[in-house]
Amino acid sequence: MSPLLSNNSSDSARCPFLTPEFQKVRENHTTLASTGCTKEFCQAGRAIHTDEPRIGENRAVHVVEQEAEGFLLELYNEDFFKNKEEFEERLKHVQVDIRNNAVEGIIREGNGHGLIGGNWTPTPRELKFGLRRAWRNARKCIMRSHCEELELCDLRAVTSSAGMARDLIRGISKAFNNGIIQPTAFVFPPRTPNRRGPMIWNHQLLAFAGYEAEDGSILGDPMSVQLTKEIIDLGWNPPEQRGRWDLLPLVTMADGDLPVIAELPSNLRSLVEIRHPHYSAEFEKLDLKWVPFPALTRLGFDIGGVQYTAAPFIGWFMDAEIGVRDLADSFRYNVLPDIIEALDLTRGRLVQGVDSFEDLPEYERLAMLSRAQSELNYAVHWSYLQAKINMTDTLTASMKWCHYDDEFKKKHGYRLPADPYWLAPPQGSIVPLWHRGGAPNYQPKPMICKHVEDPTKAWGREREDWSLAAKPLRSVALLGEQQHTKVQSSTNNRRLSILRKAVAQMPNKQLPNAASLKAQPQQYGAVIYKRDSVETAPTNTSIAILYCSAGTIAKKLANKLQERVAALIKGSSAVGLARSVESLDTLEASNLTEDKIILLVVSSTGQGDIPANGSEFSDMCSKLSLSSEARGFKFAIFGNGDSRYVATYNGAATKVEEHLRRIGGFPLAGGVFPGDTAIEAFPLTALSSWWDKLQLKIRNLAIDRLEKQIVCSVEECSSESDTPSESSTVGDTEDTEGTEDMEDMEDMQKYLNHGRQLRSDFQEATLIATSPEVDEKHQGSLRLTFDVGDTSYKDLSCIRVLPVSSPSKVARALDALCVDGHTKVDLTLANSGENPAYETFLTDFVDLELPFRELRWLRTIQPIFTKNLVKQALSVSSVLDVLKLLREEGILTYAGDNSVLRHELCMDMPLLQTRNFSVASSLNYLKACESTHIPHTAGNGNRVDIMVKAHPIGRFSNTFLRECSMPAALKVRFVDSISSDRLRDTHLSPLIVVATGAGFGPVRCLLQQRIYVAQNEFPAGHLPTAQKLYGISLFLGFKSSDIAMTTEILDEATKWKLIDTLCIVPSNAEKVRIHDKLKKEDIRQELRLKLLEENGMVYVCTNPAAAKATKTAFADVLGGNVARLLRERYIEEVF
């Protein structure tokens, strides 16, 4: 460290040129990092200094203590603590944590062995201060005047690679906010001593791939060539048609976990097309693009001695970053020569003997390059303005920084740190900052800095420590969270290197090969046991894996499934696997034979429709279904759906299943397995659960087929008898028991997962009112009000309601089971503390209104009792009715030992499912209201409203609501809706809303939110103007009985001038629907103006038929495909 910057240096060692300003820097910053400069050597002209501080290294315990104390002292000076005593108490606790977490290890300074300082945990408020102060201290950044706007997304509890990717993508999407960017830092757990800490491979969250050809040419971004190679080696499959604007996936790597590849969602993949208002055709031909925002992902934060190695942060661009550097630099995209040619800037300059731009004199070339650079930079800024994405220009950023720095010096007596190499504007002296002169180049902490390690090299060292199957990196990269345990399990314990069947009586006997069968057929009979290889001819049994999706997730899941199947059947001659996954349309009728197994991953599009790459499959099935031929192939389907679309959830997967059943297929593992992207953006956990069930089915099918082959071989070889001996009989006892044991384990694990989710994700709530009151005659919508205690929720979010079983029905079930409600249900996979009591299990875990799932427990009942138990009748009766019957028949009694049967009954009960509803109230609005329609005695916590469509057989809207008495206890969980982020700030642009029935719920919330904003933004008596707040165009369709629930909020919103068009269509004999009103000429013109000229949005919340009709109406109004014209500005939610 330079003597000038060392706080511990003696006066004699100080720089002789120590100015009063430098002295003030030393007095105000107890911790200064090295800038690399010495008395003999200045590094001001270097982009990266040789001695820049890094995170990722061990530090001595006294160093960590000093930095922590310095940080807390800075907090104290900013009045974070009430008094000195509180500061000293906090310091004492921090020092204890540092000492308690200290370990022995190698310390970087001196490269010696010693005691390494441990971590302490800043509070969120302390951490946010540290982040903002680190940005202010970032001497290379010109945007620091916005440091106090930086928000914290605290992700320190996320410890898996998959969780990092999921939460970072979710948080970035929110912070991007459709272009109104909120600067945010996403902080993952800090590095601990002797560990690398969590890391992110990407330099930027959004970056383009770079592909190097054999001739050395590069397609895409040259800066990304090496990283692109590394990610491809990890398992990423680039697009088949590679281009210069291919976005790299996100690669996250938690400490102690495998790296995970995550493709970015569509809302983050939209690029800004660079266009020029004066050279429209020329720039369109150039086809230049860039990402909408910068999000640095390889930098970390050093705050109070704690090293945050993964803390990406999002902001907005300065135009020159793109127009002068990224697109223009000769070692990047180098587009300036292309712009010179496109704009024909060489016209009149190419004289005889001068054939090209490169042949011109240097001063001519400089003039043209400067002109091209200026036009490009102008085009960049103009394009971002048109896209309504935050961006600043160089002049503004320069003036803001100068003003901010000047104000800081006036207040503190010294200037902020600045590295002139980075702050000097690339446009040169025309920007005032150029003339500002040298600034003090020092580096205080907290600070932003790089990691000492390259994450790809760190993985190169760690990968050898993982026990992986063939093609390990593909498995690692794509399977994500917990996959390493799955790989080891599937490739070691359950691998069919040859089909294995454990039989207790003869555990070591081997399956014969062809030669031994011919020589001694009777010795082997037809029983199959463990063996290592098969020499008989391979069979025709084969597995094909297909996907169907409008996006990329289904294909990625199919690739993961392909790897698991390949590991399962490795070495087996009894089962084959197609070489690669294919789309559903590639399936041919000739492949639908008895010896085929087809595994499918299916996503939905539109209103639960089969995507385009499954349309030919649908046509094929329609033709085949005309034939009565039973084909006998097996299939299994994983549905990649989103439960927030309740009415269409996994609709495509269900339709594919219906097609396959109709043409003679048999489901291999039950019906569609429901993956849910509302719970997990990339549903790897669900895929793993499906695979655990599926692989056993595949193994048993393959064994059965191999057994049949050996039987045939034996019969052909044996000429002594046509009647098989006793040893020739192939029994199913062992195999059936093994299958059922596995299914029991799966059931128990399912209930355990449900219980854990209840404890971690759900809150207690109380239903305190319904409007109108529930009765059998009411056929319209209901408004329900819940008291959710201290739980807060976001506007326009969703609430998942778990309609628990009523106490009376639970009491009846307990009596039928002859068990005390406090007795524990034995879920043997769990720790004893996780086993629920029977009363809890019957209340919160299972649905007593539905039938039993499989009736496997019938085998436990003695035959004498089964005469009155008709399986067909049992399969359609509710759990509660069946339990009552078992009690009446004397099968369940208090006197007998019912423990086995009781356990099997519980494991066969259907899991209680949540119901998903849109929030119909704004919490801020409700809190601001002076009075409420609900008596205060009904509940004192936060309240939330929902609107529910009454169904005659609805589990929640009918059964639960009719049977419960107010107040009624249940469990709820708040989740973001798919459209909430896009709708919350729509007051900045026109909004057209079409809603019917209970679809008015989120509209009600939106209106309450707007009213709250208006109440707080505008003084009493001053209503918003068109310049301040866009109005909403409301088109509503209701049953006559529903209108009364809407009038109050509509009247209030109208008073605040929040509604500029209101059209309500009640139910009518003429069958006029709300979407018909959109086509009226005056409304048509208004819609075209708002959507095509003012970039307005459309929000549709209705039933599937009305949603389809509404989209058709908008297509007619706008004169084209709605999805193409409006893209993400058309939001549709179907219930």
Side-chain angles (χ1 to χ4, degrees):
M1 182 181 293
S2 167
L4 172 64
L5 301 179
S6 173
N7 285 315
N8 298 321
S9 59
S10 64
D11 290 343
S12 60
R14 291 178 180 176
C15 174
F17 305 106
L18 188 62
T19 65
E21 182 180 19
F22 284 7
Q23 185 62 42
K24 283 189 174 292
V25 169
R26 294 175 60 102
E27 292 171 356
N28 285 274
H29 294 283
T30 58
T31 306
L32 290 171
S34 173
T35 61
C37 293
T38 68
K39 186 169 61 175
E40 295 83 15
F41 179 58
C42 175
Q43 300 202 50
R46 296 177 64 98
I48 305 296
H49 296 188
T50 56
D51 193 28
E52 285 195 1
R54 303 289 180 103
I55 51 175
E57 299 175 320
N58 291 333
R59 297 170 185 166
V61 66
H62 73 274
V63 173
V64 177
E65 288 178 328
Q66 288 174 0
E67 295 194 4
E69 182 176 0
F71 176 64
L72 292 175
L73 184 60
E74 196 166 357
L75 289 170
Y76 175 72
N77 292 332
E78 295 289 339
D79 297 326
F80 260 64
F81 301 105
K82 296 178 182 178
N83 47 51
K84 188 174 182 181
E85 289 73 21
E86 185 179 351
F87 159 71
E88 291 176 345
E89 183 68 18
R90 178 61 172 148
L91 176 60
K92 178 181 177 181
H93 285 297
V94 168
Q95 290 175 335
V96 169
D97 286 345
I98 293 171
R99 287 284 174 174
N100 287 343
N101 296 323
V103 297
E104 294 288 335
I106 302 298
I107 299 173
R108 180 205 175 205
E109 291 187 10
N111 202 31
H113 196 82
L115 189 63
I116 303 166
N119 281 340
W120 61 281
T121 304
T123 65
R125 184 165 175 251
E126 291 169 345
L127 180 56
K128 182 189 286 190
F129 174 86
L131 295 169
R132 291 176 172 179
R133 193 51 51 94
W135 189 9
R136 195 186 78 176
N137 293 339
R139 54 199 173 90
K140 300 177 181 180
C141 180
I142 198 174
M143 307 287 287
R144 285 176 277 167
S145 59
H146 297 277
C147 66
E148 294 304 315
E149 301 171 24
L150 183 66
E151 291 296 332
L152 163 66
C153 181
D154 195 343
L155 302 175
R156 287 178 287 177
V158 179
T159 57
S160 69
S161 300
M164 287 178 65
R166 178 191 64 239
D167 289 352
L168 178 56
I169 289 174
R170 181 183 300 158
I172 285 282
S173 300
K174 179 180 179 181
F176 174 54
N177 194 25
N178 295 316
I180 308 173
I181 298 170
Q182 170 61 60
T184 306
F186 305 87
V187 182
F188 292 101
R191 171 188 180 270
T192 55
N194 295 325
R195 306 285 299 184
R196 60 167 166 79
M199 303 177 79
I200 298 173
W201 286 29
N202 311 63
H203 295 280
Q204 292 257 13
L205 179 77
L206 302 181
F208 298 113
Y211 309 107
E212 185 173 16
E214 293 182 359
D215 62 0
S217 62
I218 294 173
L219 176 65
D221 192 344
M223 179 175 283
S224 300
V225 168
Q226 184 58 39
L227 180 61
T228 303
K229 291 178 181 177
E230 299 282 359
I231 297 179
I232 290 175
D233 288 344
L234 187 65
W236 178 54
N237 293 319
E240 293 183 7
Q241 296 295 326
R242 299 183 179 185
R244 58 197 305 218
W245 312 113
D246 295 344
L247 283 173
L248 287 169
L250 174 65
V251 181
T252 53
M253 188 166 65
D255 196 0
D257 198 2
L258 304 167
V260 166
I261 294 176
E263 290 287 357
L264 299 171
S266 58
N267 65 305
L268 296 181
R269 301 181 67 85
S270 298
L271 304 179
V272 179
E273 297 182 353
I274 308 302
R275 297 293 184 262
H276 198 299
H278 309 310
Y279 300 102
S280 178
E282 291 84 352
F283 269 78
E284 186 171 352
K285 184 177 179 181
L286 288 168
D287 189 33
L288 302 179
K289 304 175 184 180
W290 207 251
V291 299
F293 59 85
L296 297 169
T297 46
R298 270 207 196 179
L299 295 180
F301 287 82
D302 190 349
I303 300 173
V306 183
Q307 303 176 46
Y308 298 96
T309 54
F313 49 96
I314 178 178
W316 53 79
F317 280 116
M318 183 175 73
D319 51 15
E321 293 180 75
I322 304 169
V324 180
R325 298 301 311 275
D326 296 330
L327 288 174
D329 280 343
S330 59
F331 52 86
R332 294 291 298 282
Y333 275 85
N334 194 27
V335 302
L336 294 185
D338 298 331
I339 293 176
I340 290 172
E341 181 179 353
L343 303 186
D344 196 19
L345 299 183
T346 58
R347 179 186 299 175
R349 307 290 181 90
L350 300 181
V351 296
Q352 186 175 5
V354 180
D355 299 325
S356 68
F357 165 75
E358 298 296 333
D359 296 331
L360 288 170
E362 299 303 324
Y363 74 94
E364 292 272 23
R365 294 178 65 242
L366 179 60
M368 293 180 194
L369 288 170
S370 298
R371 167 76 185 281
Q373 183 189 79
S374 176
E375 297 294 356
L376 174 59
N377 202 59
Y378 181 84
V380 166
H381 200 101
W382 184 83
S383 300
Y384 277 73
L385 286 176
Q386 299 308 301
K388 296 186 177 180
I389 296 175
N390 285 10
M391 171 175 274
T392 190
D393 62 88
T394 308
L395 273 174
T396 300
S398 174
M399 290 187 289
K400 277 187 175 182
W401 161 249
C402 292
H403 177 74
Y404 182 68
D405 192 32
D406 289 342
E407 291 297 313
F408 184 88
K409 186 176 182 181
K410 287 180 183 178
K411 182 177 180 180
H412 299 281
Y414 64 97
R415 292 162 66 183
L416 288 165
D419 188 330
Y421 183 96
W422 291 87
L423 290 186
Q427 291 95 329
S429 61
I430 61 174
V431 180
L433 182 58
W434 178 271
H435 305 284
R436 189 169 177 80
N441 190 4
Y442 61 99
Q443 183 57 70
K445 291 187 178 183
M447 65 179 294
I448 301 173
C449 51
K450 293 183 176 181
H451 198 293
V452 71
E453 284 192 285
D454 183 310
T456 62
K457 294 179 180 177
W459 169 241
R461 291 190 297 273
E462 294 175 14
R463 61 191 295 179
E464 298 177 358
D465 297 332
W466 292 93
S467 175
L468 299 172
K471 298 182 181 179
L473 298 186
R474 179 179 292 275
S475 300
V476 168
L478 299 178
L479 289 177
E481 196 166 18
Q482 300 178 341
Q483 177 54 26
H484 54 278
T485 57
K486 291 293 182 184
V487 170
Q488 293 168 356
S489 173
S490 62
T491 56
N492 295 336
N493 298 336
R494 299 175 183 174
R495 175 185 294 166
L496 290 179
S497 40
I498 171 61
L499 305 171
R500 298 180 179 182
K501 183 177 182 181
V503 178
Q505 293 89 338
M506 301 180 68
N508 297 319
K509 190 168 183 178
Q510 291 187 334
L511 180 71
N513 57 31
S516 58
L517 271 174
K518 292 179 180 178
Q520 297 174 303
Q522 290 82 7
Q523 177 181 344
Y524 297 98
V527 182
I528 300 178
Y529 298 108
K530 186 175 178 181
R531 58 159 294 169
D532 294 323
S533 62
V534 173
E535 298 180 16
T536 53
T539 74
N540 293 326
T541 300
S542 64
I543 299 175
I545 299 175
L546 308 175
Y547 67 92
C548 184
S549 174
T552 60
I553 292 180
K555 184 176 181 181
K556 293 178 180 300
L557 293 171
N559 281 325
K560 295 171 179 48
L561 183 60
Q562 175 94 358
E563 292 159 7
R564 296 187 182 192
V565 174
L568 180 68
I569 68 171
K570 185 177 180 182
S572 169
S573 62
V575 182
L577 176 64
R579 294 181 61 184
S580 61
V581 303
E582 301 289 348
S583 69
L584 182 56
D585 272 349
T586 63
L587 182 63
E588 298 180 358
S590 58
N591 289 327
L592 300 176
T593 54
E594 185 180 358
D595 49 11
K596 293 297 189 293
I597 300 173
I598 302 170
L599 308 180
L600 306 100
V601 181
V602 181
S603 298
S604 299
T605 188
Q607 304 302 314
D609 301 322
I610 297 176
N613 55 6
S615 57
E616 293 181 14
F617 160 81
S618 299
D619 295 339
M620 177 193 74
C621 292
S622 298
K623 297 175 183 176
L624 289 176
S625 62
L626 299 177
S627 169
S628 60
E629 179 183 358
R631 299 180 176 273
F633 62 91
K634 310 293 189 301
F635 69 89
I637 301 176
F638 181 86
N640 178 47
D642 188 329
S643 64
R644 289 172 290 188
Y645 294 101
V646 178
T648 60
Y649 177 43
N650 277 319
T654 302
K655 292 172 183 175
V656 170
E657 181 192 24
E658 292 171 353
H659 282 316
L660 293 174
R661 285 179 183 268
R662 192 162 53 245
I663 63 175
F666 294 95
L668 184 60
V672 172
F673 190 96
D676 191 355
T677 56
I679 297 175
E680 189 178 22
F682 196 50
L684 295 171
T685 303
L687 185 75
S688 298
S689 298
W690 182 53
W691 173 243
D692 289 342
K693 183 177 183 180
L694 184 62
Q695 63 176 334
L696 185 65
K697 302 289 186 180
I698 295 174
R699 180 174 63 175
N700 290 338
L701 265 180
I703 291 174
D704 291 343
R705 179 159 294 279
L706 191 56
E707 286 176 342
K708 291 176 182 178
Q709 286 190 314
I710 303 303
V711 170
C712 293
S713 300
V714 171
E715 290 174 348
E716 290 174 1
C717 294
S718 176
S719 59
E720 295 183 7
S721 174
D722 293 332
T723 304
S725 63
E726 291 182 4
S727 62
S728 300
T729 303
V730 181
D732 293 332
T733 304
E734 296 87 348
D735 188 50
T736 301
E737 290 179 352
T739 302
E740 291 173 349
D741 287 344
M742 178 61 71
E743 289 173 346
D744 287 343
M745 292 175 65
E746 291 171 359
D747 291 338
M748 288 186 283
Q749 186 63 56
K750 176 176 62 179
Y751 293 126
L752 281 171
N753 292 340
H754 182 79
R756 290 165 183 167
Q757 189 177 48
L758 285 179
R759 289 190 294 273
S760 62
D761 297 338
F762 281 79
Q763 299 89 38
E764 300 289 339
T766 305
L767 176 62
I768 56 177
T770 66
S771 177
E773 293 186 1
V774 180
D775 60 60
E776 295 181 359
K777 296 180 180 179
H778 183 73
Q779 298 296 316
S781 299
L782 301 168
R783 187 173 75 227
L784 312 183
T785 300
F786 299 92
D787 184 324
V788 293
D790 295 333
T791 303
S792 298
Y793 58 91
K794 298 178 181 178
D795 292 338
L796 297 163
S797 57
C798 289
I799 182 172
R800 292 188 168 179
V801 178
L802 190 71
V804 298
S805 301
S806 66
S808 61
K809 290 188 174 180
V810 171
R812 288 159 53 192
L814 289 171
D815 181 65
L817 287 167
C818 303
V819 67
D820 182 85
H822 300 292
T823 303
K824 297 285 188 178
V825 179
D826 183 18
L827 303 179
T828 55
L829 292 180
N831 296 323
S832 59
E834 290 190 278
N835 291 332
Y838 269 92
E839 183 175 6
T840 302
F841 183 79
L842 296 172
T843 302
D844 297 341
F845 283 65
V846 296
D847 197 332
L848 300 177
E849 307 293 336
L850 294 178
F852 281 101
R853 294 185 298 113
E854 298 181 29
L855 302 175
R856 294 202 309 265
W857 45 267
L858 278 173
R859 68 189 178 190
T860 306
I861 300 175
Q862 297 181 21
I864 189 174
F865 290 116
T866 61
K867 59 183 179 180
N868 294 328
L869 301 179
V870 180
K871 187 172 184 179
Q872 184 175 2
L874 296 178
S875 66
V876 295
S877 300
S878 72
V879 167
L880 196 58
D881 288 341
V882 173
L883 292 178
K884 179 182 177 182
L885 178 62
L886 294 177
R887 184 82 168 92
E888 292 173 348
E889 290 290 324
I891 298 171
L892 290 168
T893 65
Y894 279 100
D897 182 5
N898 301 314
S899 58
V900 174
L901 175 58
R902 188 161 50 233
H903 178 79
E904 291 187 351
L905 286 167
C906 288
M907 294 304 99
D908 198 29
M909 293 179 186
L911 198 65
L912 186 61
Q913 301 295 326
T914 59
R915 272 63 178 174
N916 201 59
F917 303 99
S918 295
V919 165
S921 57
S922 167
L923 182 58
N924 288 329
Y925 171 88
L926 293 180
K927 287 183 175 181
C929 288
E930 295 181 356
S931 61
T932 177
H933 294 295
I934 310 300
H936 286 288
T937 55
N940 298 314
N942 291 335
R943 293 175 185 172
V944 60
D945 294 338
I946 64 173
M947 291 188 68
V948 178
K949 181 180 179 181
H951 290 280
I953 58 173
R955 173 63 177 84
F956 177 67
S957 64
N958 184 277
T959 303
F960 180 88
L961 293 180
R962 278 195 300 105
E963 295 179 353
C964 72
S965 57
M966 301 294 174
L970 38 65
K971 296 182 184 297
V972 300
R973 176 191 180 193
F974 290 100
V975 295
D976 270 343
S977 77
I978 56 173
S979 56
S980 57
D981 286 341
R982 285 185 284 171
L983 286 174
R984 285 182 186 126
D985 295 314
T986 50
H987 59 276
L988 300 176
S989 60
L991 176 64
I992 294 95
V993 174
V994 180
T996 63
F1000 184 70
V1003 181
R1004 182 174 183 267
C1005 175
L1006 179 66
L1007 292 175
Q1008 289 186 355
Q1009 180 213 32
R1010 292 280 188 96
I1011 292 170
Y1012 175 77
V1013 171
Q1015 289 172 337
N1016 286 271
E1017 189 168 333
F1018 304 102
H1022 292 77
L1023 298 179
T1025 62
Q1027 290 74 29
K1028 288 285 187 179
L1029 211 61
Y1030 275 99
I1032 302 175
S1033 302
L1034 282 180
F1035 298 88
L1036 307 174
F1038 296 116
K1039 292 181 181 292
S1040 299
S1041 58
D1042 291 345
I1043 294 179
M1045 288 193 294
T1046 69
T1047 53
E1048 183 178 358
I1049 189 66
L1050 292 177
D1051 288 345
E1052 189 174 3
T1054 302
K1055 183 191 74 172
W1056 281 97
K1057 296 185 177 180
L1058 301 179
I1059 301 174
D1060 57 24
T1061 301
L1062 178 59
C1063 179
I1064 300 178
V1065 178
S1067 299
N1068 55 86
E1070 294 77 17
K1071 301 295 184 182
V1072 176
R1073 299 293 182 251
I1074 190 62
H1075 52 263
D1076 298 322
K1077 297 294 184 180
L1078 302 176
K1079 301 177 186 178
K1080 292 182 62 176
E1081 187 57 33
D1082 55 337
I1083 294 178
R1084 176 192 294 264
Q1085 295 304 321
E1086 179 185 350
L1087 295 178
R1088 289 182 60 85
L1089 172 67
K1090 291 182 176 181
L1091 295 176
L1092 299 181
E1093 298 185 25
E1094 297 180 351
N1095 290 319
M1097 297 178 65
V1098 175
Y1099 175 56
V1100 179
C1101 190
T1102 183
N1103 61 68
K1108 185 176 181 179
T1110 300
K1111 183 174 285 187
T1112 302
F1114 272 109
D1116 179 65
V1117 168
L1118 301 179
N1121 182 278
V1122 173
R1124 179 177 59 81
L1125 291 172
L1126 301 183
R1127 298 184 179 179
E1128 68 278 359
R1129 291 189 289 128
Y1130 192 90
I1131 304 170
E1132 184 180 271
E1133 290 188 347
V1134 178
F1135 58 87

